[in-house]
Amino acid sequence: VLWKPFALHAAQKLLTKEHFDAVITTSPPLVNHLIGLELQQLTGVPLIADFRDLPEWHPFFEQGTPLHRAHDRHIVRNVLSAADGVIAVSPGMRDHLRRMSQGRRDIAVIPNGFDRADFAKHAPKKNERFRIGCVGSFDTGHPVEPLLRSEEHTSELQSHSD
């Protein structure tokens, strides 16, 4: 990845100017963990690796060559073996990472979510346009139809509550 050396250089610069208790990396992309591993090796700062998604769980993964898939698994195994802490997005991913690491037990689960209190003051007003922002992918493995059905259901509920 072309931007990796620049990110590594910028992070090293920050680490020389300020004290950090740990470096936290999140993936995808896996290159973030590679940067974290290098920082850990160069500076001794603990690495916490956060796995939000695994390449092999993504439909595009199958489009790569067997060599690419093996390389991605190798990166994940290296991160699992070297990281001082590991976070998974779900119990299923935690269990999968445990198998990949041959039994690492200290994998924490922090699911995606939000705190309603953070959004209470931003609640939409009646008749305000409803907007959805997508940060992610819609493809054969991540279809848009369930989201559209949930929006239809929400509209039905709103019309019945008027």
Side-chain angles (χ1 to χ4, degrees):
V1 176
L2 298 175
W3 56 269
K4 181 183 170 219
F6 302 102
L8 186 60
H9 176 73
Q12 283 179 292
K13 210 166 155 181
L14 273 175
L15 286 167
T16 60
K17 291 180 181 178
E18 298 181 40
H19 169 76
F20 290 86
D21 294 326
V23 169
I24 301 173
T25 57
T26 190
S27 66
L30 285 177
V31 69
N32 295 341
H33 294 316
L34 294 177
I35 293 166
L37 284 174
E38 285 191 48
L39 290 170
Q40 177 197 48
Q41 292 164 356
L42 293 168
T43 67
V45 175
L47 171 64
I48 310 298
D50 176 34
F51 289 90
R52 301 280 96 195
D53 207 356
L54 291 172
E56 63 194 79
W57 290 8
H58 198 282
F60 296 132
F61 184 74
E62 292 304 318
Q63 295 174 5
T65 67
L67 183 62
H68 287 102
R69 294 191 293 272
H71 183 256
D72 284 351
R73 286 188 196 100
H74 177 74
I75 291 171
V76 172
R77 284 189 186 98
N78 282 348
V79 171
L80 290 170
S81 115
D84 298 284
V86 177
I87 301 168
V89 71
S90 68
M93 183 177 288
R94 177 201 55 214
D95 296 344
H96 183 76
L97 293 172
R98 281 181 178 162
R99 286 189 298 277
M100 285 186 80
S101 69
Q102 299 177 347
R104 183 175 180 146
R105 304 301 302 165
D106 63 342
I107 299 173
V109 174
I110 301 178
N112 291 331
F114 72 99
D115 186 342
R116 286 188 192 278
D118 290 341
F119 295 91
K121 63 182 174 193
H122 303 291
K125 294 170 183 60
K126 199 171 196 142
N127 297 326
E128 189 176 347
R129 179 175 279 177
F130 178 71
R131 293 183 180 100
I132 296 175
C134 172
V135 182
S137 302
F138 290 121
D139 53 42
T140 56
H142 303 89
V144 70
E145 289 79 17
L147 176 63
L148 296 176
R149 282 194 303 274
S150 71
E151 205 293 304
E152 288 170 9
H153 182 68
T154 303
S155 296
E156 287 174 27
L157 289 175
Q158 275 188 325
S159 66
H160 291 303
S161 66
D162 290 338

